[in-house]
Structures are given as C-alpha cells and as structure tokens.
Amino acid sequence: MADQETQPPREDQVHDDETPFAALPAEERLFRMRHSAAHVLAEAVLEMFPEAKYAIGPPIEHGFYYDFDLPQPLVPDDLEKLEARMRQSVKADLPIHGEQISKGRAREVFANQPYKLELIDDIEDDTVGYFRHGEFQDLCRGGHTDSTGQIGAFKLTHSAGAYWRGDEHKPMLQRIYGALYPTQEDLDAYLQSVEEAQRRDHRRLGRELDLFHLDPISPGSPFFHPKGATLYNGLVEYVRELYPRYGYDEVITPLIFNTDIFRTSGHYDLFPDMYKMMTGDDVEVGVKPMNCPGHCVLFDSTLYSYRDLPIRFAEFTRLHRNERSGVLHGLTRVRSFSQDDSHIFCTPEQLDEEMARVFEMVREVYRDLALGEVEVRIATRPERFVGNPEDWDHAEELLKELVSKAGWSYEIAEGEGAFYAPKVEFHFRDAIGRSWQLGTVQIDMAMATRFGLRYIGSDGEEHTPVMIHRAILGSLERFLGVYIEHTEGRFPLWLAPVQAVVVPIADRHIEYAQSVQRELRQRGLRVEVDASGERMGAKIRKAQLQKVPYMLVVGDREAEAGAVALRDRSGDDLGAVPVFQVGDRMVDERDSRTSQAPIDA
Ligand SMILES: [Zn+2]
Ligand SMILES: [Zn+2]
C-alpha cells in the first residue's frame, strides 16, 4: 500500500502527558492506539525471534507498522502467530510506563540493537524517551495508551520489504503492517473496503480482461492489447465526435522540440519531469510533457484577426513525463500517456462564453460516461509561478465567478495551481466512494505573453490573446484506470471491447453461429464466436467472467428459427429473439450510449 508509506512517522510530535487516555480527543486516542499496537507487535516479534533486531514502528493511516531485521522471511502463518501473541498482551492489560533516560543508559539497554543505537546517536538531546510494558522495552518519544488493553481492534494484514531509513543502500528490513480501528465494526468495514478495492484493481482486471500490461523494458508505459486498444480508441472517438459541435479543430504537433521552446514557456525550469537529451550535433532537445508550447507555435504561424477567434486546437498525441519509478502505478500514474487536450485562444471579451462552453462539454461527457455529479475544486497560485500576481488574482476571481455561474459549488485547493495559471479541477466519485481528479481547465494570462502571441483587434492594433488550457477526461490512461475500477470491467456496450459472444451448443451449430456473427458484424458490432470444444455452461461462464454484455446461445431450435437465446452478463435470460432484433437492440444501446443499465447489472 504505497499511500501508507507516504505518511511520515509522527513519533517525535507527541508526548505523553497527565491527561488520562479516555479523556483525550478521539483522533488522539486512535493515534495512540495505533502507536501502542506497534509496541505490542514488536514485543511479539522479539519473543518469536529472540535474535530479531527492531528498527522503527510508527502509527500510520489505517493502522501501524514496525520494521524488523529477521533471521528468515516471514510467512503468512507467522503473522497469525504474532497476532495471537499480541492478543495475550492485550488481555494481560499491561501498564505502559515511560520516562526519560540518559543516552549512556539507553546504549546499555539497547546494546544488542544496532538500529536503536543508530537512532540514539541521532538524537540531539542528552536524554532519550524510554518506554516499556511487561518485559518489552523500546526507544520512543511517547504518545501511548495507558495500558495494552486499550489498543482497540486490529489485524496484521501483510508484510513487505522496506529499506532501513528508506535508503536503498541500507539493509532491507521486513515491515509488518497492521490495520487498527477503535471497534471491530470499524475494522471490519475498513478491511472490507480494502478487499473491494483489490477486487476492482485495474491492474488485475487489465490482466484478466486482456486489456493491457506493463513491462520493465519501458516502465510506466502501458502496452495496450487489442481489447484495451479498442476501449482506448472508443474513448478517443467519442471525444472526437464531440469536437465539431463544440467548435474544436484537431491538430498534430511534434513530440520532440529544441528545448528553447520550453525555456520560453517556463517548463524548462519549473517542470523537472521533462525528458531532455543532447543530439549528435550538440543540440538539446526535450520530449513534450504537454501540448501548450507546441500549440503556441502553431497559433503564432498565422496572424489572426479578432474575427477568427476563438481558435480551439485539440490534440491526442503522446506526452511523456519522467515520473519517479516509486510513484508509478498501473495506468493511473504513468510516464507515457495522451490527453483529450485542448488550448483555446480568445479575446478577453470572449472568455466568459468560452468557459461556459467548456463547462457545458464537461457536463455532457460526465453524463454520457455516467460519472455522476461533477465535483469541482479551484486550485490557486502555487509558490513558484510565472506572470504577475495581479493577473493571477484576477484569473482566480474570474474562475470562482464562472464556476458559480455554471451552477457548481466548489472547494479551494490552496497553492495547487499550475505554475502558469490557476485551475479548475473536475473530480469524480467512483462506485466505492473514492474521489479522483480527472479534467482541468486553466485561464492563462502568462504563456501567450511569453510566446509573444498576438491577434489584430477591432481597433486594428495588436493584442495578446487569453489562453485556456483544458482537458476533460485528462490523461486517457489514468481515466481508463479509474474507469476500469469504477465499472469493475463491466463497460457499457458502446465501449465494451467484445459486445457479444455467440455460443454454439454443439459443434454442429458452429456454422449457424458464424452466420449470426457475420450478420451482426455487418452492423458494426464487435461479435465473437466461442468455437472451443467446451460445454455450453463453461462457455457462458467464460463470457460472463470476461464481462461481455451479451451472450447469444444457438442450438437446433434457434438455427431453425433464425434466432438466438439471448442472455445478458448479469445472467438474465431474455428468451429467444430473432437475430435482426438482437442487432436492433444492440445498435440502439450502442448509439444511445446507455451506460447505467450495464454498470448496475
Ligand atoms: Zn512509542
Ligand atoms: Zn496546456
């Protein structure tokens, strides 16, 4: 669980005081329960492996962990034994004592514990915190329950390798994780949500549904298989279809540029994740991390009049960002991706209407993809930025006003804007309640000036256009990752890589099955025939596991009647239906982009 590792240990921020545990605020109590549980875990480990060296064990979101240097790798059985041993300590309800002791004394106590000795050396004070319960003793700054009986409901969940002090040049330790909540009910709810998330994990579904895989030969750069590419292209085609109606023009610009362009845009200094390299003739080039600089060059190639504006460039080409390998995650955090990206160049007078148009498109896309209510955040000026503060203030105020006018309420994300502009973020809440950022819209007063862009105004003079950066789904890779988990792979028919499987009952029905396939393919439907020798039940089960929207079972009766026995993926038997009617039904469902029914199924 990568998110847990990002929680910094809080040991040094908390001190035990005279307040009885029960009188503390709930959040502080939970923190102390998790912290104390880590001690109880270490006690159990030292008893089970007397030669173990123990390192650090902080409370974290959802629970706690402790790092150990152990004589052998842990197996799941060990966690059960350790948990049982921990429960003995809880039952014994041992008081937890704390005091400050001299460093000299601490070095004696922890003489056989090299990690503790290293920690003692790093402490600047003359004394160190020392805590014990029963026979167990630890080096610690405090923040505990009064006794081991108060640590709440917990479960050891898993173990994983972790470098001492997070440094890959230091020894690899074994980290044992535990989940902990005040009550068994809270703990069960949490464990269930973890299980639910694992069941929906897009990396797992990506494998099971044969959509994509990742390979260390190009980390963070997904290989989309035929079915995954069908899904991916289905999304691109969908957005592309909206463009004429909203007045966008699709363009294609280079992937690799002389880095001069990124010095002009400001990315060179403010965007560290850009890939840069020297060419043979000593020119530095960069791989574009976003499309805006290229679109500025494109805009600058024509001298537009105010009558030509707004100009709306849209582009789907690949973008690359050299994200640290530690943060890469399936499709949701990648190095190679594409966006449903666009840059709009308009006059200041056109800004309101343009933003309203963008918001309208966001609404339409959310509706078509059945993403539920749009949740909006406005991210404001970060610490490092380009442009002048007055323009920023103006743009931020304007965004708030326009978002309100669109009928949305919003939250403020202080300091989280892009370096060149504040942004509106669109968040989406998935089927299990998690919130994900998808698209963004930015009003940018800086970049057009940096590129010296201009248009001829109605006064015959040159003016600088306002630039709007906008992506609705955002990174298509990331969107797909989120969407796969949201739908659990049950895509609506219009996006499903395989829309129907024809299941012949016996080999003698294969020929008829193929004629059904041909007829439906003629209507542009993606239909497969399962001609494997397996039994009918197994074929249906397989199609259901692949989450194919429809199964068309054919035997003697169906062949004679020019029909199929229609089933949907939820297992509902829809009876015998003539093939042309199945085609009508599927075409209707595809063209109306019905999303809700198949997802609920
Ligand atoms: Zn402690
Ligand atoms: Zn942009």
Side-chain angles (χ1 to χ4, degrees):
M1 289 181 203
D3 59 331
Q4 294 187 333
E5 256 103 21
T6 61
Q7 289 282 319
R10 273 187 51 190
E11 293 211 47
D12 56 354
Q13 295 169 11
V14 177
H15 296 268
D16 284 357
D17 55 31
E18 300 308 309
T19 317
F21 174 71
L24 292 166
E27 198 189 334
E28 178 64 25
R29 279 207 308 274
L30 183 55
F31 174 85
R32 291 182 176 215
M33 291 159 104
R34 288 171 174 167
H35 184 157
S36 305
H39 284 290
V40 175
L41 167 61
E43 176 192 22
V45 169
L46 288 178
E47 197 178 286
M48 191 162 148
F49 304 99
E51 63 277 62
K53 309 294 176 212
Y54 55 140
I56 56 161
I60 52 174
E61 196 185 0
H62 308 303
F64 58 93
Y65 71 74
Y66 213 118
D67 288 347
F68 303 95
D69 195 341
L70 299 176
Q72 70 216 53
L74 290 162
V75 295
D77 232 21
D78 294 334
L79 295 190
E80 267 175 46
K81 285 182 202 150
L82 288 169
E83 209 178 283
R85 175 62 189 84
M86 287 174 73
R87 296 198 193 286
Q88 287 176 20
S89 268
V90 172
K91 205 168 164 202
D93 197 18
L94 304 163
I96 300 177
H97 294 293
E99 61 187 296
Q100 288 293 118
I101 61 173
S102 72
K103 278 181 158 179
R105 170 97 186 88
R107 286 196 185 94
E108 284 168 27
V109 171
F110 298 104
N112 297 321
Q113 292 292 338
Y115 301 102
K116 297 294 178 193
L117 291 174
E118 201 179 316
L119 292 170
I120 293 167
D121 288 342
D122 285 356
I123 293 170
E124 286 186 2
D125 299 345
D126 297 331
T127 61
V128 298
Y130 165 84
F131 281 78
R132 66 179 175 81
H133 67 264
E135 300 291 299
F136 175 78
Q137 43 195 0
D138 205 346
L139 188 69
C140 176
R141 287 274 181 95
H144 301 101
T145 54
D146 297 335
S147 69
T148 55
Q150 295 168 321
I151 66 172
F154 65 91
K155 180 173 174 51
L156 296 183
T157 52
H158 62 294
S159 64
Y163 291 107
W164 168 232
R165 304 206 139 168
D167 181 344
E168 60 187 292
H169 304 295
K170 300 208 155 131
M172 170 75 89
L173 306 176
Q174 295 190 65
R175 175 169 298 175
I176 302 176
Y177 287 97
L180 189 149
Y181 279 87
T183 66
Q184 190 63 41
E185 202 183 346
D186 294 337
L187 177 67
D188 288 345
Y190 167 70
L191 293 173
Q192 209 183 338
S193 76
V194 170
E195 213 172 284
E196 179 71 36
Q198 280 169 352
R199 207 157 54 78
R200 291 170 177 266
D201 190 322
H202 72 277
R203 294 166 302 177
R204 172 176 159 179
L205 286 167
R207 206 168 44 239
E208 288 174 3
L209 303 180
D210 195 17
L211 300 174
F212 71 92
H213 81 278
L214 288 144
D215 190 300
I217 199 69
S218 183
S221 309
F223 286 71
F224 284 98
H225 301 192
K227 286 178 186 168
T230 300
L231 183 60
Y232 196 105
N233 288 333
L235 273 180
V236 171
E237 287 312 319
Y238 162 65
V239 175
R240 197 169 257 153
E241 259 179 51
L242 295 175
Y243 279 160
R245 191 145 47 81
Y246 284 93
Y248 288 84
D249 292 306
E250 196 174 329
V251 298
I252 299 170
T253 62
L255 302 193
I256 295 175
F257 293 84
N258 185 303
T259 49
D260 285 349
I261 193 176
F262 301 115
R263 289 179 204 276
T264 303
S265 68
H267 288 98
Y268 195 89
D269 295 317
L270 295 174
F271 199 85
D273 294 339
M274 186 167 64
Y275 285 99
K276 297 176 203 133
M277 55 195 137
M278 297 303 293
T279 62
D281 40 5
D282 259 2
V283 175
E284 190 184 37
V285 297
V287 182
K288 69 176 172 187
M290 54 252 302
N291 291 309
C292 359
H295 289 181
C296 286
V297 171
L298 187 60
F299 182 87
D300 202 26
S301 67
T302 304
L303 182 57
Y304 292 105
S305 133
Y306 69 98
R307 293 172 199 274
D308 303 317
L309 268 43
I311 294 289
R312 307 181 190 93
F313 293 143
E315 182 157 359
F316 291 105
T317 56
R318 299 245 114 223
L319 304 171
H320 292 84
R321 296 180 188 175
N322 193 10
E323 302 270 5
R324 284 180 301 112
S325 57
V327 302
L328 297 176
H329 182 86
L331 295 179
T332 53
R333 199 76 183 262
V334 292
R335 288 180 176 160
S336 169
F337 61 102
S338 136
Q339 291 187 325
D340 59 337
D341 198 10
S342 167
H343 295 93
I344 300 167
F345 301 87
C346 65
T347 69
E349 296 74 36
Q350 291 168 331
L351 190 54
D352 281 29
E353 203 190 314
E354 276 309 298
M355 290 295 283
R357 185 190 293 258
V358 168
F359 291 160
E360 195 186 314
M361 193 169 168
V362 170
R363 252 188 240 281
E364 177 166 355
V365 170
Y366 265 62
R367 193 175 57 233
D368 287 347
L369 287 163
L371 300 179
E373 276 301 302
V374 184
E375 293 180 13
V376 181
R377 299 207 317 163
I378 297 179
T380 59
R381 190 173 69 221
E383 245 168 68
R384 304 186 72 193
F385 64 95
V386 295
N388 68 67
E390 295 79 59
D391 283 347
W392 274 85
D393 292 345
H394 174 66
E396 287 173 11
E397 283 316 306
L398 192 62
L399 282 184
K400 290 177 195 169
E401 195 186 307
L402 293 171
V403 165
S404 301
K405 219 194 264 178
W408 287 318
S409 55
Y410 57 84
E411 277 176 39
I412 296 288
E414 207 65 61
E416 290 181 25
F419 71 82
Y420 49 86
K423 61 182 174 184
V424 180
E425 302 172 353
F426 301 107
H427 291 251
F428 143 74
R429 199 162 288 278
D430 74 10
I432 55 173
R434 297 170 301 180
S435 176
W436 304 88
Q437 184 196 315
L438 299 179
T440 58
V441 182
Q442 290 140 291
I443 297 178
D444 178 358
M445 308 288 188
M447 203 176 289
T449 307
R450 293 172 74 95
F451 276 91
L453 303 185
R454 66 230 192 284
Y455 65 94
I456 305 299
S458 54
D459 55 2
E461 301 288 319
E462 291 188 352
H463 298 269
T464 305
V466 178
M467 202 171 158
I468 300 171
H469 308 245
R470 78 109 194 87
I472 293 179
L473 297 176
S475 150
L476 298 178
E477 275 70 7
R478 179 179 159 79
F479 176 77
L480 272 180
V482 171
Y483 190 65
I484 289 168
E485 299 197 358
H486 174 59
T487 57
E488 223 184 322
R490 283 192 213 96
F491 307 115
L493 184 106
W494 65 278
L495 281 172
V498 177
Q499 295 166 322
V501 173
V502 190
V503 177
I505 292 175
D507 282 356
R508 67 176 183 280
H509 306 120
I510 289 179
E511 204 176 313
Y512 175 63
Q514 285 166 339
S515 77
V516 171
Q517 178 190 38
R518 261 195 311 279
E519 186 173 339
L520 295 174
R521 279 186 168 175
Q522 293 271 321
R523 304 184 68 175
L525 294 162
R526 297 186 285 268
V527 178
E528 303 291 336
V529 172
D530 186 344
S532 68
E534 287 169 80
R535 294 183 43 233
M536 183 182 79
K539 290 179 186 171
I540 289 176
R541 178 92 189 112
K542 192 165 74 187
Q544 276 175 331
L545 286 175
Q546 287 294 303
K547 320 209 176 187
V548 176
Y550 289 108
M551 282 138 266
L552 320 178
V553 181
V554 296
D556 291 334
R557 246 184 316 158
E558 287 77 19
E560 212 163 289
V564 303
L566 185 63
R567 287 164 174 264
D568 67 21
R569 63 187 151 195
S570 66
D572 281 348
D573 190 342
L574 306 172
V577 183
V579 177
F580 75 90
Q581 270 183 25
V582 172
D584 288 349
R585 179 190 173 118
M586 289 178 65
V587 166
D588 264 7
E589 191 173 327
R590 177 191 66 195
D591 294 348
S592 63
R593 296 211 168 87
T594 307
S595 264
Q596 214 47 63
I599 288 176
D600 282 348

